[in-house]
Amino acid sequence: MDGPLLHLRGITKSFGPVQALSGVDLDVPAGQVTALIGDNGAGKSTLIKTISGIWEPSAGEVTWQGQRVHFRSPRDATDAGIATVYQDLALCDNLDIVQNMMLGHEVRRRLLLDEVAMEQTAKRTLSELRVTTVRNIRQLVGSLSGGQRQSVAVAKAVILDAKLVIMDEPTAALGVTQTELVLELITSLAQRGIAVLVVSHNLTDVFQVADRLAVLYLGRLVSAGPVSDYDTASAVDLMTTGASHRTLNGGTTAGRLDNVREG
């Protein structure tokens, strides 16, 4: 496939008189981590919910794997290969790791659940993602740490053969050790050729794992490009004012509200 895995053009979303997104153009390549940043109210949640099929855009086009698509529900997006891991993770605390990872997609042998096959699938997926902190895959999810829970939620997406994993504030409220676990997991996904779209307020995490940066300001995409074109100061400028006149890479303007750059 030539071109980006996900290609958004002119995405607009209105809720009555309130325009949450205005003409957003964004490319998300396969095998790369794209960080979506912006201040509160910038439109980040609206954009990922539009991509994941929760809300239909009021205007604009979504192209997925080279084909124009129209997701009318989260099921449509999931079936296409887009998995979204929200902050609440949507895990069942009273079920174990295997049961959570296979929930809704259980393997059956005749009329019974094939517990052995499901355990093997869960173990293999966690191993491929280099998740080493989980000692017992029959442990209840309610007893796991925040980073381990993120790992289970992402592993579930991988089992569903997701080609794009969207992660909403994956390191929020995590300690240093658990944050490193999640960042390693994000890197592992990209190395497997999976596209990752990360929504985060933590610029330290963003610059550690992202290949590309996209900045929203008041519902508009004001800048997008390789992360090497930005630093923390220019990113903060863009998030808070919609423009930055700080220069990187020998004089490249990091971003302007009236001249959106998609690098």
Side-chain angles (χ1 to χ4, degrees), residues 41-217:
K44 303 184 301 297
S45 294
T46 302
L47 184 59
I48 64 172
K49 287 178 179 179
T50 301
I51 295 172
S52 59
I54 293 177
W55 292 326
E56 297 183 43
S58 304
E61 296 181 1
V62 178
T63 302
W64 172 251
Q65 295 185 292
Q67 301 293 323
R68 186 175 176 182
V69 295
H70 189 79
F71 298 140
R72 292 180 170 82
S73 70
R75 171 68 71 176
D76 289 347
T78 301
D79 290 345
I82 298 175
T84 305
V85 181
Y86 293 102
Q87 280 184 268
D88 61 9
L89 301 180
L91 297 175
C92 299
D93 289 349
N94 61 325
L95 300 180
D96 64 33
I97 293 171
V98 176
Q99 291 168 328
N100 268 279
M101 289 175 62
M102 305 301 297
L103 188 63
H105 304 274
E106 293 83 358
V107 178
R108 297 182 182 276
R109 188 173 184 181
R110 297 187 177 90
L111 298 178
L112 301 177
L113 294 178
D114 192 336
E115 298 287 353
V116 173
M118 291 192 293
E119 283 193 10
Q120 290 174 342
T121 299
K123 284 182 179 178
R124 182 175 63 252
T125 303
L126 291 170
S127 176
E128 289 173 352
L129 291 174
R130 300 199 294 272
V131 177
T132 59
T133 61
V134 174
R135 303 301 181 189
N136 180 4
I137 60 173
R138 286 301 183 179
Q139 184 177 351
L140 293 180
V141 162
S143 66
L144 299 178
S145 68
Q148 291 171 326
R149 289 167 64 88
Q150 281 281 355
S151 299
V152 172
V154 171
K156 181 175 181 177
V158 171
I159 284 179
L160 296 178
D161 197 27
K163 298 175 178 63
L164 166 63
V165 176
I166 302 172
M167 302 182 71
D168 183 18
E169 298 287 354
T171 61
L174 296 184
V176 174
T177 301
Q178 297 303 319
T179 294
E180 286 300 316
L181 171 64
V182 173
L183 296 181
E184 289 173 5
L185 183 63
I186 292 171
T187 301
S188 177
L189 287 173
Q191 290 173 346
R192 287 168 56 93
I194 297 171
V196 185
L197 181 61
V198 178
V199 177
S200 180
H201 280 95
N202 191 319
L203 294 181
T204 300
D205 295 348
V206 164
F207 281 101
Q208 184 173 336
V209 299
D211 300 294
R212 296 176 58 79
L213 198 66
V215 189
L216 284 173
Y217 177 74

Side-chain angles (χ1 to χ4, degrees), residues 2-18:
D2 296 329
L5 181 70
L6 177 68
H7 180 72
L8 307 179
R9 281 299 175 265
I11 296 298
T12 298
K13 180 61 181 177
S14 299
F15 299 94
V18 178

Side-chain angles (χ1 to χ4, degrees), residues 207 211 213 223-231 234-235 238 246-249 252-255 261 263:
F207 281 101
D211 300 294
L213 198 66
S223 191
V227 74
S228 58
D229 287 355
Y230 304 84
D231 61 10
S234 61
L238 290 161
R246 302 174 193 267
T247 57
L248 297 176
N249 296 338
T252 301
T253 301
R261 174 177 56 79

